[in-house]
Amino acid sequence: MSAVIEVRNLHKRYGSKVAVDDVSLTVREGEILGVLGPNGAGKSTTVESIAGLRTPDRGSIRVLGLDPLRDRASLTRQLGVQLQDGQLPARLKVAETLELYSSFYPNPADWRELMSSLGLTAKVPYGKLSGGQKQRLSIALALVGNPRIAILDELTTGLDPQARRDTWELIEGVRARGVTIVLVTHFMEEAERLCDRVALIDAGRVVTVDTPVGLTEQARIEQRVQFRPTRPVDEALFRGLPEVSSVVRRGELVIVTGDANVLNAVTAVLARNQIVAERLRVEQASLEDAYVELTGKRGK
């Protein structure tokens, strides 16, 4: 897949604070790239620079071959943006807002369909919307222009669990139509479900870029296999395996910890000794585990 966003050595300082410290990123056409990191890591400044809303101190950015600052008029027709904070006139109704914004684009999406899919009510004025409803309207405005690229900053913050999952389904449908998405998020489940790759940013720098599965492998987090053997088993059978780092007994349960291949190693030993593993449970490393391991910080 070709690159539709290329960021090279992006640097941005606010007074004495360096917000973005030589960030380099490539976003491929048609993918969802997640941007993960703790508060203050530089995520929003990075994506706002990509959208042409911030002027970097140095570095280069190309979006669909265009410079976000110099070619802003051309780029805004192809780029949809949903930011963390946005305001509209309090009396402007939902339908009026969507109809107005759709008029800015040569080939807009069906704003009525967007309004319905996001659970918005046509005649409610902006000032009467809840925080979650304002967030959904912001998402609709980012997508109403039928953009080739959508930048979504904290997509589902403020939404209840059901609304969050409904929004995820909407985004999956948008990506299925070929839209490239840059998704800034704190929610690990959201990143695991939606993202093809994740850029992990900490203290203004890119720590790593990989698939969600690749990040957990990079972090080298051990797995645990827990089971109750149908008959007594010698723990030494497991301790001698190269995939195993520890074996612990907890009552009737045996807990074996090891690398990514520990489950296969344990089940092979049990099979050779004609022992059945009852109540078998495997604790896999998650994206949140990898996030903590790689940044030393815990997300939501």
Side-chain angles (χ1 to χ4, degrees):
M1 293 181 289
S2 60
V4 292
I5 299 175
E6 294 182 280
V7 179
R8 294 287 177 266
N9 303 116
L10 178 66
H11 192 94
K12 180 66 177 177
R13 177 189 293 270
Y14 299 107
S16 60
K17 178 177 173 55
V18 176
V20 180
D21 191 5
D22 289 331
V23 161
S24 294
L25 285 173
T26 299
V27 184
R28 302 164 184 163
E29 185 174 11
E31 78 170 336
I32 299 181
L33 178 76
V35 181
L36 272 177
N39 289 332
K43 306 184 300 297
S44 292
T45 298
T46 298
V47 297
E48 287 171 8
S49 297
I50 291 171
L53 301 174
R54 301 270 182 190
T55 302
D57 298 325
R58 64 172 183 267
S60 67
I61 303 172
R62 290 292 179 273
V63 182
L64 298 170
L66 302 172
D67 182 297
L69 296 175
R70 188 181 62 239
D71 306 313
R72 186 170 182 179
S74 299
L75 185 58
T76 51
R77 292 175 177 270
Q78 305 177 76
L79 181 69
V81 181
Q82 173 259 329
L83 301 176
Q84 287 188 56
D85 298 307
Q87 292 295 324
L88 291 166
R91 294 183 181 180
L92 194 63
K93 295 180 176 65
V94 168
E96 292 172 338
T97 305
L98 287 167
E99 185 176 17
L100 174 64
Y101 272 65
S102 69
S103 71
F104 299 157
Y105 300 96
N107 183 34
D110 184 337
W111 62 264
R112 295 173 183 84
E113 182 180 326
L114 267 177
M115 183 175 65
S116 175
S117 65
L118 284 163
L120 293 165
T121 303
K123 295 184 178 181
V124 178
Y126 182 78
K128 297 292 185 181
L129 296 176
S130 68
Q133 290 169 332
K134 288 178 179 178
Q135 187 78 343
R136 278 179 270 180
L137 178 57
S138 180
I139 295 166
L141 294 176
L143 301 176
V144 75
N146 258 335
R148 288 182 61 187
I149 298 173
I151 295 176
L152 307 173
D153 193 352
E154 301 296 351
L155 172 70
T156 57
T157 297
L159 301 186
D160 61 62
Q162 185 57 55
R164 182 173 296 131
R165 281 162 176 75
D166 291 344
T167 302
W168 292 347
E169 289 183 9
L170 172 69
I171 297 306
E172 287 169 336
V174 170
R175 195 270 294 275
R177 298 199 298 268
V179 178
T180 303
I181 297 171
V182 179
L183 174 64
V184 179
T185 182
H186 277 100
F187 293 106
M188 301 299 156
E189 184 183 359
E190 184 166 281
E192 285 185 298
R193 171 164 172 173
L194 295 179
C195 299
D196 300 294
R197 294 187 302 143
V198 173
L200 189 57
I201 295 181
D202 191 23
R205 290 181 172 271
V206 175
V207 176
T208 186
V209 181
D210 208 335
T211 64
V213 171
L215 284 176
T216 62
E217 291 174 350
Q218 278 192 50
R220 300 186 182 277
I221 302 166
E222 293 188 314
Q223 297 182 7
R224 295 203 308 171
V225 179
Q226 177 179 293
F227 61 93
R228 183 176 67 184
T230 52
R231 61 185 179 82
V233 58
D234 186 355
E235 296 172 19
L237 292 173
F238 303 116
R239 288 200 174 95
L241 298 172
E243 298 87 352
V244 172
S245 59
S246 71
V247 182
V248 176
R249 277 196 180 273
R250 188 175 298 158
E252 296 179 326
L253 296 177
V254 177
I255 303 170
V256 183
T257 303
D259 64 21
N261 296 313
V262 67
L263 177 61
N264 291 335
V266 167
T267 53
V269 167
L270 293 173
R272 284 197 301 270
N273 289 273
Q274 298 181 324
I275 299 172
V276 176
E278 296 180 340
R279 293 166 54 186
L280 178 66
R281 177 180 173 184
V282 181
E283 295 183 3
Q284 301 277 6
S286 68
L287 181 58
E288 181 162 6
D289 294 326
Y291 176 93
V292 173
E293 184 72 18
L294 293 168
T295 68
K297 303 176 178 70
R298 185 166 297 277
K300 291 184 180 178

